[in-house]
Structures are given as C-alpha cells and as structure tokens.
Amino acid sequence: MIELAIRGGLVVTPDGQRHADVAISGGRISGIGDVGHASREIDATGRLVLPGCVDLHTHLASTPTFAPLDDFEHGSRAAIAGGVTTVVSMVYQEEGSLRRGVERGMRDAGRSLADFAFHVVVTDPNDDARAEVAALVSDGHAGLKVFMVSPRFVERRDDYTLLLRAAADAGALVAMHAEDHAIVAARTAELHASGRTGVEHFPESRPVEAEVKAVREAVELAERTGAAIYLVHLSSRAALDALREGKRRARVFGETRPLYLYLTRAQFARADAALWVGQPPLRESDDVAAVWAGLADGTLDTVGTDHIPHLRAAKLAPGLSFDRIPPGVSNLETLLPMLYSEGVRAERITLSRLVEVLASAPARIAGMYPRKGALAIGSDADVVIFDPQAERTIHAADLHSACDYDPYEGWAVTGWPEVVLSRGEVVFQRGSVIAKPGRGKLVPRAPSAH
Ligand SMILES: [Zn+2]
C-alpha cells in the first residue's frame, strides 16, 4: 500500500525531468511514474518536485567555549523551511580527541529537526587523533576539516600531512578552508600598523592571492597523500582556475557559498558593512561572474551555506577592528529559493544543475548517495515541492533563524518551497514548520572510495 502520493508535479530525477507521480512508503520513495491509489495525496500540479537539499557546510554544534546563535534546533528549523533536509555541521576536536567532538555534536543534534552528519575540525593533528580516524569512519563519521588559515597549520604542516594520509587510508573526506595564513597575517599586521582597522579594509586583509596559494597547496597535499579534499567557500576567479587545474591531478571538490554569487565588495563601502563579514571576503564583480560560470560548467561541485549567523549588535559592536568582527551570516532558509530565482530563472544554471549542486553532488561527495540527494526508488523520501511562481521579498522577521537580520533583506525572489518532506513526513507546509525538535537522525557517511 502506498502511504503518500505526490501527484502531477515536474519531477527532477537523476535521469532527467518529467511530469510524474511520486509514491512514498515506509519513509522511502517506492515509485515514480503512474502510481496507484494512496492513503494520502498531495497535488503538485504546476510545482517542481525536487530532492531535499544537502548542505555540507554549517556550524550548528557548540564547542566548550562557544554556543552558536543558530544551534541545531534553530538552524535546522530554518533549513527545513528552506528545503534543506540534511545538514552537515562542523564539530571541533575536544581535549585532543576527535571522538569527543563528535559526541558533543551528537548531544547537540539531539534537538535537530533535520537529518545530520559531521565534519570534525582537527585543531591538533597529534598521533592519537590520527589514530582515531579509521574507527570514526567505520562509525559513519567520514569527514574531517582543516583550517589552512590557522597558524597551527603552518607550525604543524608535517602532522597535517600525516593526518591527510590517515584520512586517505580510512576514506575520510577532508574539508579545507583555503586561505594562506602567512599572507593574511602579514596584511592584517600592515593594516593595523598604519591604523587602517575599519571594516572597509577587511577585503584587503584577505586578498585573492591568499586563497589561490592555499588552493594550490591543498591540491599538492591531496596529490601527495591520496586524500579526497573538499575546498569550502571558494570566492574568486583565480581560485577557481587553480581548482580546475587541480582536478586534473587529484581528488579535489569545490564549494562556493551564496554570498559570492550575489554580492560584491562594494558592500564594504556601507556604514553597516560588518553585517556581511565572512571569510574570505566579498570580491569583485568579475569574481562573481566566474563563480556563476564555475557553477554552470562543473568546476564547482556544490553550494554550501557556511551558516553561522550573529546578531546585528555583535557584528556592529563599536570599536571592533576588521579582524575581530565575528565572521559568518545566515543562509540556510534562502539557499534554495535564491539559487532558483537568481540561477535558474535568470538562466545562469539549469534546473538539473541546481539539483546537482544543492542535493546530488553534496550527497555523493559526503558518502550519503543515493540515500540522500536523489529522487530515486529506495532513496529516503526527502522531497521539496517547490512553487516556481511564488513571489517573496526576503525579510529576517519572516525567517526561522534566530538572527535579527538577513544578508539579503529586501531581495525579491520568485520561487519558494511550498511543502517539504523528510523521510516521508511532512515537516513544512505553506509557511509553517511542523517538525518537532529531535526527529532528525544521523546519516552515516560511507567512506570515500580511492
Ligand atoms: Zn565554515
């Protein structure tokens, strides 16, 4: 017996797009095509039927010294309302142990509305931590994260190289924040020495060359160690050129984030510029064009949000120098509708490419495919019924994040999620999140193949 049928929408599957019904039983997709009688039905005429999005880059978990404004409960509520049904959060190595970071993540994610997984940020690549990698991978935690921009990455380069080897052996994907520490530190010191500490100098403190140098170094490390690496939040034309070149030599994936698709460094002329501070900074309009082209031509594999909002007052606190402004913005709820509106409607990317970069590719890269990221028989019934005609203006007050501003306040978009299902359960319907905290489940990640 079919429990739920979604009738008459334009369904985007791995094989293409067609008008079809989608049948759901036992939380999974049980049929696509002409499906028979069902206990419940949803009419999706005139709607798009898409797989739930998979965001490989969020910061919803706490650390011993930091509790995010959008914790798992708030952040995953925003995610669900935006059609993101799986969130991967960073967790941090704790007291030397990677496992302890994951355990904290599991406790925090006990309030998640969305399904979830982790990347473990490695701040101390000691022998014991490296020895933990294989067991974590066999428990489904097949992801690490390394901040190349941290001074520790420079001081402990050999240990990080060994960590990447351990990741390669065990099949853990290594997410990397690619900005060169030495360049950023030198620029920051120069600016401080000449009293140029205002937010308008933030872009100069983290130039494109810092990103490019780190991307090249990450590719070299991937080549030398055999690790699969995932370069997060790439922002510039030159970094994408380096990524494209690197893909010929090593297992390298590239992510961008919404900020680099919609805004330029012109934002930093505003009095409230700090609201858009993220690392790396906003770039030139030529970089924005390159990021769109890279998304369309496959140089970039995914769009991840790097969701980590801070209240206006924290971003705009008086007297903060550019390097003390808490980095990051809200993005989970607007990820899909903005990329549809600015990407698909504006004919910069196709609908199938949108599904690829927001759902299929991230699921594949993170070892969750085809359980997540596809509308296919046997996949989890994570489904977005999307109204391509819905017109909205983005206002923070209407969104589910705990943040009191949105980086795209006032943007007019066309297209918005109407109904969202997670494992066959309706979790969002016509503006309301119905899901309860704690319903989200860990998605065990398969090791990345050699
Ligand atoms: Zn991040």
Side-chain angles (χ1 to χ4, degrees):
M1 179 64 176
I2 298 167
E3 287 160 20
L4 175 64
I6 300 167
R7 303 270 185 208
L10 181 68
V11 182
V12 181
T13 73
D15 306 323
Q17 304 163 23
R18 62 196 164 115
H19 285 93
D21 303 338
V22 175
I24 295 168
S25 298
R28 294 179 180 227
I29 294 172
S30 57
I32 299 174
D34 280 325
V35 305
H37 180 76
S39 330
R40 288 166 57 219
E41 312 229 335
I42 296 175
D43 179 11
T45 310
R47 308 292 187 256
L48 308 177
V49 180
L50 313 173
C53 300
V54 177
D55 185 356
L56 295 192
H57 192 162
T58 71
H59 296 264
L60 306 181
S62 65
T63 75
T65 54
F66 175 76
L69 175 65
D70 271 355
D71 55 12
F72 259 101
E73 181 174 344
H74 291 91
S76 68
R77 184 173 286 122
I80 290 281
V84 178
T85 47
T86 305
V87 290
V88 178
S89 177
M90 304 303 152
V91 294
Y92 280 73
Q93 182 176 9
E94 201 164 317
E95 294 167 28
S97 160
L98 305 183
R99 175 73 65 177
R100 229 169 270 177
V102 169
E103 287 167 354
R104 174 184 291 275
M106 288 298 293
R107 286 196 299 277
D108 289 357
R111 298 290 293 167
S112 189
L113 286 70
D115 288 350
F116 58 86
F118 306 109
H119 303 294
V120 191
V121 178
V122 183
T123 50
D124 175 8
N126 61 50
D127 294 350
D128 292 346
R130 295 198 303 270
E132 288 182 271
V133 174
L136 283 170
V137 171
S138 45
D139 292 345
H141 303 295
L144 303 175
K145 167 101 182 262
V146 169
F147 283 90
M148 298 177 79
V149 73
S150 149
R152 269 185 306 267
F153 182 79
V154 183
E155 293 152 12
R156 308 274 304 273
R157 202 176 300 257
D158 293 346
D159 288 335
Y160 274 108
T161 305
L162 293 173
L163 176 77
L164 261 71
R165 274 215 179 99
D169 290 344
L173 178 76
V174 184
M176 298 182 86
H177 177 132
E179 284 186 290
D180 181 74
H181 168 73
I183 296 175
V184 172
R187 287 292 179 95
T188 301
E190 274 166 40
L191 290 163
H192 271 271
S194 57
R196 290 174 289 166
T197 58
V199 64
E200 67 276 19
H201 298 292
F202 176 66
E204 297 157 64
S205 73
R206 308 179 85 99
V208 165
E209 62 190 89
E211 186 176 38
V212 174
K213 186 164 179 238
V215 167
R216 291 207 181 111
E217 189 180 348
V219 167
E220 246 166 64
L221 270 172
E223 200 177 8
R224 243 183 26 239
T225 61
I229 64 168
Y230 177 74
L231 295 167
V232 297
H233 53 48
L234 295 175
S235 66
S236 64
R237 179 182 291 280
L240 297 195
D241 290 343
L243 166 64
R244 197 176 295 114
E245 196 276 325
K247 282 184 161 191
R248 292 192 212 116
R249 298 193 277 136
R251 288 193 298 158
V252 186
F253 303 98
E255 171 197 274
T256 190
R257 68 168 158 170
L259 280 180
Y260 309 128
L261 291 166
Y262 308 124
L263 298 169
T264 70
R265 69 178 284 179
Q267 215 69 18
F268 286 98
R270 295 173 55 128
D272 56 358
L275 297 179
W276 290 274
V277 163
Q279 298 168 351
L282 296 169
R283 306 294 195 189
E284 309 291 344
S285 53
D286 177 63
D287 295 301
V288 173
V291 173
W292 277 111
L295 210 53
D297 72 17
T299 303
L300 286 164
D301 298 282
T302 68
V303 184
T305 61
D306 200 359
H307 185 94
I308 178 165
H310 307 275
L311 292 171
R312 282 183 79 87
K315 294 286 250 191
L316 298 173
L320 280 185
S321 60
F322 61 77
D323 53 326
R324 296 276 167 226
I325 299 161
V329 299
S330 178
N331 241 151
L332 272 164
E333 195 163 347
T334 53
L335 172 71
L336 167 63
M338 283 192 68
L339 196 65
Y340 180 80
S341 193
E342 298 291 323
V344 179
R345 282 187 66 91
E347 298 186 346
R348 292 174 168 125
I349 58 170
T350 63
L351 179 60
S352 59
R353 188 72 192 138
L354 170 123
V355 167
E356 178 69 17
V357 300
L358 292 184
S360 315
R364 229 181 274 120
I365 291 166
M368 301 173 175
Y369 193 88
R371 176 172 170 188
K372 300 295 186 190
L375 296 181
I377 310 267
S379 294
D380 281 359
D382 297 348
V383 184
V384 181
I385 301 171
F386 189 87
D387 179 356
Q389 310 293 342
E391 293 184 0
R392 296 289 167 85
T393 303
I394 291 173
H395 293 301
D398 302 334
L399 302 175
H400 293 79
S401 164
C403 199
D404 58 354
Y405 83 96
D406 189 88
Y408 307 108
E409 184 72 30
W411 277 64
V413 303
T414 302
W416 205 269
E418 187 172 86
V419 180
V420 177
L421 291 95
S422 166
R423 284 179 274 107
E425 181 188 337
V426 174
V427 288
F428 173 82
Q429 196 161 28
R430 290 176 190 81
S432 296
V433 175
I434 302 156
K436 295 275 176 288
R439 66 162 299 283
K441 286 190 176 153
L442 175 74
V443 185
R445 298 173 55 177
S448 60
H450 282 272

